């Protein structure tokens, strides 16, 4: 099935090699996420990019399913990991109670605002009871595009809290931090760690 090339997908298709080479593992956030999982837990990674975070999880003995929505990025990750990486768009997540954890670092921020609620519902359904879900977003007040032509949903903390609040979690922690991204510009980030009921 051909994947429709919107501007964001086109960016990652055309820059897959460069983007993959520039990325480093998200160690502190990843450590916190993994500390909440049992050894060998089943983890789905969405938007795995270069495969850097999946590589860390695999090395630590977790049962990881790395995926990316862009075929070219999935190919880069497969090369890096030495194993197949599935092409999975957020709206295609159809697993039910299949994972103990879902890791979505800096990828759901590209989901259209109008679709994010449905995607969170799919993720919630894919988690087992007590499952842990991490995602990060670039903070803002209104959706838009960055200087590289990539779409971002740019949620506020309140907007994101309401979106998560439509589903049953025992906890939803949203951490606000100042940082940067691939474009090297100052960025306010929202890091969300949620645990399913």
């Amino acid at each position: 099935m051909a994947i429709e090339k919107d501007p964001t997908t086109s960016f990652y298709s055309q820059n897959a090699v460069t983007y993959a080479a520039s990325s480093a593992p998200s160690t502190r956030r990843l450590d916190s996420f993994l500390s909440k999982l049992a050894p060998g837990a089943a983890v789905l990674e969405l938007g795995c990019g270069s495969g850097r975070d999946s590589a860390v999880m695999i090395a630590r003995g977790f049962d990881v399913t790395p995926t990316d929505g862009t075929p070219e990025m999935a190919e880069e990750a497969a090369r890096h990991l030495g194993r197949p990486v599935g092409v999975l768009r957020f709206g295609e997540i159809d697993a039910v109670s299949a994972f103990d954890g879902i890791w979505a670092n800096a990828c759901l921020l590209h989901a259209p605002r109008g679709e994010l609620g449905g995607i969170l519902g799919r993720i919630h359904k894919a988690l087992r009871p007590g499952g842990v879900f991490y995602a990060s977003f670039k903070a803002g007040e209104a959706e838009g595009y960055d200087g590289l032509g990539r779409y971002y949903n740019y949620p506020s903390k309140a907007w994101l809290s309401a979106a998560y609040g439509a589903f049953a979690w025992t906890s939803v922690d949203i951490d606000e931090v100042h940082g940067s991204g691939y474009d090297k510009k100052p960025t306010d980030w929202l890091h969300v760690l949620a645990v399913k009921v």
Side-chain angles (χ1 to χ4, degrees):
M1 180 186 86
I3 288 186
E4 180 187 338
K5 295 288 176 102
D6 57 83
T8 307
T9 303
S10 294
F11 170 85
Y12 289 109
S13 294
Q14 294 160 13
N15 296 281
V17 175
T18 309
Y19 187 85
S22 74
S23 56
S26 330
T27 41
R28 188 170 71 82
R29 301 278 172 191
L30 189 55
D31 286 346
S32 175
F33 169 77
L34 295 176
S35 73
K36 293 170 172 38
L37 299 173
V43 179
L44 170 65
E45 181 174 9
L46 300 172
C48 74
S50 68
R52 65 189 187 185
D53 292 342
S54 277
V56 171
M57 292 188 272
I58 290 165
R60 294 190 191 176
F62 291 92
D63 176 15
V64 184
T65 302
T67 67
D68 198 277
T70 305
E72 293 83 356
M73 287 303 313
E75 286 170 21
E76 281 303 307
R79 227 184 324 277
H80 178 211
L81 295 169
R83 62 192 278 180
V85 172
V87 176
L88 180 68
R89 305 280 279 184
F90 305 135
E92 299 167 350
I93 300 165
D94 60 3
V96 178
S97 297
F99 300 100
D100 303 300
I102 295 180
W103 178 257
N105 184 52
C107 61
L108 290 176
L109 40 65
H110 294 308
R113 278 194 178 208
E115 296 174 19
L116 189 59
I119 292 165
L120 291 176
R122 287 173 176 272
I123 287 169
H124 189 270
K125 188 180 286 188
L127 283 168
R128 294 176 179 139
V132 183
F133 169 42
Y134 167 83
S136 54
F137 299 84
K138 289 187 176 184
E141 295 299 329
E143 58 193 330
Y145 291 83
D146 72 356
L148 299 173
R150 300 177 296 175
Y151 167 87
Y152 285 91
N153 45 40
Y154 293 125
S156 65
K157 184 175 181 177
W159 190 94
L160 207 50
S161 292
Y164 273 76
F167 306 97
W169 310 97
T170 57
S171 64
V172 177
D173 296 316
I174 303 179
D175 186 22
E176 299 177 89
V177 298
H178 299 293
S180 178
Y182 178 76
D183 60 5
K184 309 292 188 227
K185 294 190 175 172
T187 304
D188 290 327
W189 287 89
L190 299 171
H191 296 273
V192 190
L193 193 65
V195 180
K196 182 176 176 176
V197 168

